[in-house]
Structures are given as structure tokens and as C-alpha cells.
């Protein structure tokens, strides 16, 4: 039997690291709800979202770490989303509101989307709201002190590069390219940019807006880099007059 009031699940974007990048609305919700969920980090360690929100949580609020494996296997992922959705539903169904803290922006390549989709499939009457926030391409451009795009430039964002040939396709039409998850393919990307004479126009921001933040430019000097997973590359490959 359905209870009269079901809690709301809030997907709260908490930005890329600097806690001041959480929106006023996001911070208010994080302080109001009794239960704060977030993804567990790699090897069950504290994840980035939990680190970012540490200052807003009070001892009265309950924390709900949710396990999402860092794998490609669809079956394993679906199982994890299902289990996370069931865990969250137990609270929502008791009328308890839950805020899920999401690193960067909640609708930009985020685990939250799968959690929300699974909940909606299994419990169509669930109420879900998302609070937008600062995502890594915008944070990286800000850290570099450069505009991400100007005038009518085409922007391509590649969430993960499984094949460096994919870069050729976007180089045909994009003036600015953002590569997420660049750490695992860095050396192939470096070689490609070297061949195309684009190394001088590419920048890497590692752990943007976090205390460990690092910027890499003049990439000719950096053919081999061991980068954090939290690294983004921006390539300004447009016409000369629009390159920084
Ligand atoms: C699964 S995506 C999540 C994107 C996130 N929702 C956002 O809005 O930016 C993870 C990728 O985002 C990028 N990323 C996230 N946070 C970052 C940060 N603080 N600095 C640099 N790159 C970051 C990295 O490329 C990382 O591999």
C-alpha cells in the first residue's frame, strides 16, 4: 500500500571541488534534508562529492554512501543501480527526503542519472528534482582564465575516447574540443596533437578548483604524464584568430 507522502530525491550538483562553487539552492537543500547520499569513491574510499560537501553536513544528518562500481560491464552496473535505487527508495517511501550529492553537474555524465532512471522505472510516482551546477569544462576554462568558446565556435565534448580516431571526426567541425577522462588515453592523444601541430593550443587541468589543482600547457614538454582521473583537456583547434 502506498503511503500518503513519499519523500523527494534531490540530485544536487556540488561542483568540481571548491565548496564555494555549490549553488545557494544546492547548499540549502544539503543542509535541510535529513539524509545525504553520495557515491562511494574508488576502493570504497571517500569520493569527491563527499569531500566537497563535508563542511555542510551536520552530525544530525545521516550519510548514505552508495556503491557504484567503476566498470564497463553493463550487467554489473545495472545491478548496482538497482541496489542503490532500492536503498534510496526505502527512505523515500517513509516520507524521508534524500539529497544525492553529485560531483560537477548532476546532468552531465553523472551516475545520478542512472539512479534516477532506475527509480522512475520501478516507482513511477517517485518525485525527483535536480539542482544544476558547475561542471568540469566550465571550471577548467575558468581556472585557465580563458573563455571556453567565443562567437559562433562549435564546441565538441567527448566524454571518453575509446579510439583516438574519434578525434579526427570532431576535428572536422569543432573549433574547441573538451576531452573528459583523458588520463587513460593521454599518450595517444599527445601523439595525435603533435602530428597536427596542436600541442601549443591544448591545455590540461587536473583536479580543477581543488587544493591539488594543476595546469599543464606547452604540452610539447609533456609527452608522458600520469594524470588523475579528474583531468580534463581543452583543445583550441579553431581558426588562428579565435585561438587563445
Ligand atoms: C563521469 S565524468 C563526470 C563529469 C561531471 N559530472 C562534471 O559535471 O564535470 C568524470 C570526468 O569529468 C572530469 N572531471 C570531473 N571533475 C573534474 C575536476 N575537478 N577537474 C578536472 N576534470 C574533472 C574528468 O575528465 C573525469 O574523468
Amino acid at each position: 500500500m502506498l503511503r500518503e507522502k513519499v519523500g523527494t530525491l534531490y540530485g544536487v550538483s556540488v561542483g568540481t571541488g571548491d565548496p564555494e562553487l555549490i549553488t545557494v539552492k544546492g547548499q540549502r537543500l544539503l543542509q535541510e534534508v535529513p539524509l545525504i547520499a553520495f557515491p562511494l569513491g574508488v576502493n570504497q574510499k571517500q569520493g569527491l562529492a563527499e569531500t566537497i560537501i563535508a563542511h555542510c553536513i551536520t552530525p544530525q544528518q545521516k550519510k548514505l554512501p552508495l556503491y557504484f562500481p567503476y566498470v564497463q560491464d553493463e550487467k554489473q552496473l545495472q545491478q548496482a543501480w538497482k541496489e542503490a535505487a532500492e536503498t534510496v527508495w526505502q527512505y523515500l517511501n517513509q516520507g524521508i527526503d534524500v539529497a544525492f550529492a553529485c560531483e560537477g553537474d548532476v546532468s552531465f555524465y553523472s551516475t545520478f542519472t542512472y539512479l534516477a532512471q532506475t527509480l522512475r522505472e520501478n516507482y513511477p510516482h517517485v518525485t525527483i528534482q535536480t539542482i544544476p551546477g558547475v561542471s568540469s569544462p566550465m571550471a577548467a576554462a575558468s581556472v585557465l582564465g580563458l573563455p571556453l568558446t567565443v562567437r559562433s565556435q562549435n564546441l565538441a565534448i567527448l566524454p571518453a575516447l575509446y579510439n583516438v580516431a574519434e578525434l579526427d571526426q570532431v576535428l572536422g567541425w569543432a573549433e574547441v574540443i573538451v576531452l573528459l577522462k583523458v588520463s587513460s588515453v593521454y599518450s595517444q592523444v599527445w601523439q595525435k596533437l603533435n602530428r597536427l601541430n596542436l600541442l601549443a593550443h591544448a591545455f590540461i587541468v587536473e583536479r580543477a578548483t581543488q587544493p591539488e589543482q594543476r595546469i599543464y600547457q606547452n604540452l610539447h614538454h609533456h609527452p608522458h604524464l600520469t594524470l588523475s582521473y579528474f583531468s580534463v583537456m581543452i583543445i583550441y583547434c579553431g581558426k588562428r584568430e579565435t585561438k587563445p
Side-chain angles (χ1 to χ4, degrees), residues 5 43 52 192 234:
K5 181 189 174 294
N43 298 329
I52 298 171
K192 164 86 56 188
I234 304 183

Side-chain angles (χ1 to χ4, degrees), residues 9 37 64 66 84-93 98 115 119:
L9 173 64
L64 186 63
L66 296 172
E86 288 308 315
T87 306
V88 170
W89 177 251
Q90 280 172 28
Y91 295 95
L92 297 176
N93 197 31
V98 180
L115 172 64
L119 264 171

